[in-house]
């Protein structure tokens, strides 16, 4: 966390600014309960009166919410996709899958580069856990049995999201979080259309491994290229299949039971 704050800020304003930085950095996430006053005072090195006034400032901005008898939590900083007319339009017109793949290439390519460059040992632990969970899901599907598409989509998406968080760019993280539903839907659509085919399945698995190794080995350019190759390969494979079957993308982004 960058603790450099303007020296002319009053103590409550400094408390508010430090809490805002924790939220921006993803240490405190939307919906998460704010730690106890004692823990925060110890961590931030501030007094309880300053902390309480800082929390009041954040409530005024709508950054935190307080419920009687339940304490304070980080507010949902972005509107729910479920209430956005734009999100409904995107989901009802699955041709936007290709548009989403373009956006993912732009954002996730940079995420992978920055993660390899800036990621901490703790970030790499989380990335490894998500990669291994995805690999285990694939490995446990023996014989002709394929992994459940919805479960694998969630694990796949969580792997990419962990890489994004390791970029330590809060604007990038929150931008991707704002279209989280659409991103998960695009992962599901890609897997549902491609993963049952042996060649694309092998390519997707190998591409995830290449991204993982480049990030873990802290090779920024290789990580970016691996992420771009992964998404461009999915796009090209979908287009090849669509040429064979015009129904390919129809309702492709409908993820049953996803919230």
């Amino acid at each position: 966390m960058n603790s450099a704050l303007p020296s002319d800020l009053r103590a409550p304003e400094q408390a508010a600014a430090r809490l805002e930085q924790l939220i921006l950095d993803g240490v405190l996430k939307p919906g998460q309960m704010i730690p106890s006053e004692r823990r925060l005072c110890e961590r931030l090195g501030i007094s309880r009166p300053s902390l309480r006034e800082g929390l009041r400032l954040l409530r005024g901005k709508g950054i935190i919410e307080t419920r009687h008898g339940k304490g304070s939590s980080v507010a949902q900083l972005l509107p729910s996709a479920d209430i956005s007319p734009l999100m409904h339009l995107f989901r009802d017109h699955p041709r936007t899958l290709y548009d989403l793949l373009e956006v993912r290439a732009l954002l996730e390519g940079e995420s992978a580069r920055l993660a390899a460059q800036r990621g901490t040992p703790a970030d790499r632990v989380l990335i490894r856990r998500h990669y291994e969970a995805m690999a285990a899901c694939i490995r446990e599907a023996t014989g002709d049995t394929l992994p459940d598409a919805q479960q694998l989509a969630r694990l796949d998406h969580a792997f990419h999201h962990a890489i994004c968080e390791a970029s330590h760019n809060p604007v990038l993280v929150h931008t991707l979080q704002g279209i989280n539903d659409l991103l998960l839907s695009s992962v599901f659509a890609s897997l549902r259309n491609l993963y049952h085919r042996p060649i694309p399945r092998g390519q997707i698995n190998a591409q995830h491994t290449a991204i993982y190794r480049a990030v873990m080995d802290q090779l920024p350019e290789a990580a970016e290229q691996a992420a771009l190759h992964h998404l461009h390969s999915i796009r090209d494979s979908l287009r090849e299949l669509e040429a064979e079957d015009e129904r390919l993308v129809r309702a492709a982004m409908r993820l049953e039971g996803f919230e």
Side-chain angles (χ1 to χ4, degrees), residues 130-131 133-139 141 146-160 184 187-188 191-192 195-196 201 204-205 208 255:
H130 286 293
Y131 175 79
M134 181 173 60
C137 177
I138 294 167
R139 189 170 55 250
L146 294 175
D148 177 75
Q150 293 190 36
Q151 180 187 9
L152 184 57
R154 288 180 170 84
L155 294 172
D156 184 325
H157 176 62
F159 168 66
H160 288 288
L184 179 53
V187 173
F188 173 71
L191 291 175
R192 191 177 71 173
Y195 208 76
H196 64 286
R201 179 168 68 248
I204 290 170
N205 292 344
H208 280 148
L255 181 57

Side-chain angles (χ1 to χ4, degrees), residues 5 10 15 53 85 94 117 123 131 143 152 198 212 218 220 228 240:
L5 297 171
R10 296 184 305 113
E53 179 64 15
Q117 187 177 73
D123 291 323
Y131 175 79
L152 184 57
Y212 170 72
Q218 302 176 62
L228 291 174
E240 288 177 9

